Amino acid sequence: MSDWQDVREGLRAFALGLPEAHEDHPWGETVIKVNKKIFLFLGLDEQTEKWDPTFGVKLHSEAHGHALTVEGAAPSGYGLGKAGWVTVPFLSELPETDVLVDWVEESFRLIAPKRAVKELDLR
C-alpha cells in the first residue's frame, strides 16, 4: 500500500467513526455520508490512467483557503466549488494528517444534522 492509500484509509476510518456516518459507492466511487448527504468524497480505490487519487471536502473557514494552497487543489467540479467544496490531490505534498482530519470534521459539521453534530460535541 502506498502512502496516499494510507492517508486515504486514515481519512476514511476517521470519517466512518463520526456519528451516523456510513460508506456508499455511487458511480463506483467511495463516499462517506451522513443523513444521506455526502461529506467526504474519496474517489476510486486505485489510481488509473485517467484518474489520480483525490478527496473532496466542504470547507468554509480559513481551512477553505488553506486547502486551496495544496498543489493541484481546486474548487470541486459540477458546481460544488461554488458551495465551498474543494478537491485535493492525494499525490501532492499534503499538510499533516491532523489538518486533513480537521478538514473532514469541518465538512461533517457543515453537512450533518444538528443531532449528529451535538453527539460529536458530547464525545
Side-chain angles (χ1 to χ4, degrees):
M1 189 179 291
S2 67
D3 290 343
W4 76 264
Q5 289 172 317
D6 293 339
V7 173
R8 182 184 186 274
E9 181 54 32
L11 295 182
R12 180 183 164 276
F14 173 78
L16 288 172
L18 295 169
E20 301 181 30
H22 64 280
E23 188 171 312
D24 197 4
H25 300 277
W27 325 289
E29 299 182 13
T30 300
V31 299
I32 310 298
K33 295 180 173 183
V34 59
N35 198 32
K36 299 182 182 181
K37 293 183 179 180
I38 298 170
F39 70 93
L40 175 62
F41 288 91
L42 288 170
L44 302 172
D45 294 340
E46 297 293 331
Q47 186 175 10
T48 69
E49 275 185 31
K50 296 181 179 181
W51 183 80
D52 283 329
T54 62
F55 69 96
V57 286
K58 183 173 183 170
L59 302 170
H60 281 291
S61 68
E62 63 193 42
H64 186 268
H66 186 205
L68 288 173
T69 66
V70 174
E71 185 178 338
S76 300
Y78 305 105
L80 294 171
K82 293 177 184 176
W85 285 90
V86 179
T87 299
V88 181
F90 277 117
L91 299 179
S92 293
E93 187 172 329
L94 295 171
E96 296 293 321
T97 303
D98 290 350
V99 172
L100 303 179
V101 165
D102 286 348
W103 293 352
V104 171
E105 183 176 327
E106 181 174 330
S107 187
F108 173 84
R109 289 176 177 278
L110 290 168
I111 300 295
K114 290 179 183 178
R115 70 178 179 277
V117 173
K118 185 175 180 178
E119 182 180 336
L120 178 61
D121 289 341
L122 291 174
R123 290 184 176 180

